[in-house]
Amino acid sequence: MLYMILGHDLPGSLDKRLAARPDHLRRLQELQDAGRLLLAGPLPAIDSEDPGDAGFTGSLIVAGFDSLEEARSWADADPYLAAGVYDHVTVKPFKKVLP
C-alpha cells in the first residue's frame, strides 16, 4: 500500500537540511531502486522552485510499504529527523486516484 510521509521542518533548519541531504537522498534512491517510490520532494517556504535562504517548510514522500508500521519505522530513521531538520513527521495511508 502507498503511504504519505510529510516531514515538517523546524524554522531556521536550512543549514542542517543541506548537510543531511546526501544521506536523505540516498535512502530515497533505495526506495526508487526497489520500485517503491511514487514521488518525493521538498516544500519551498516561498512560491519559488529555488527558495534560496527562505528554505523549506518540509518534505513530502509517497511510497509503498507493507504496513503503516513499516512506513512509520522508515520515516523515523530519516536523516532529516536525526539531524534536527524535522520538528515532526506525519505518516498516513495514501490512495492514489489520478493519474
Side-chain angles (χ1 to χ4, degrees):
M1 178 166 187
L2 292 173
Y3 295 89
M4 175 216 64
I5 300 169
L6 182 60
H8 304 267
D9 284 19
L10 286 161
S13 63
L14 181 58
D15 289 341
K16 292 177 182 179
R17 175 182 270 273
L18 295 175
R21 188 170 188 262
D23 291 336
H24 174 78
L25 291 178
R26 185 171 30 258
R27 291 182 80 233
L28 290 173
Q29 188 61 54
E30 290 171 4
L31 283 179
Q32 177 70 27
D33 292 347
R36 296 171 46 192
L37 183 65
L38 182 65
L39 64 89
L43 307 172
I46 60 173
D47 190 13
S48 173
E49 287 200 25
D50 181 4
D53 291 339
F56 301 91
T57 61
S59 299
L60 173 65
I61 300 164
V62 178
F65 294 93
D66 291 334
S67 67
L68 180 58
E69 181 178 299
E70 182 186 350
R72 284 186 177 142
S73 179
W74 187 91
D76 287 346
D78 195 300
Y80 281 172
L81 194 58
V85 175
Y86 291 158
D87 174 51
H88 64 283
V89 177
T90 303
V91 181
K92 294 184 177 185
F94 179 83
K95 182 178 177 182
K96 182 180 175 192
V97 175
L98 294 171

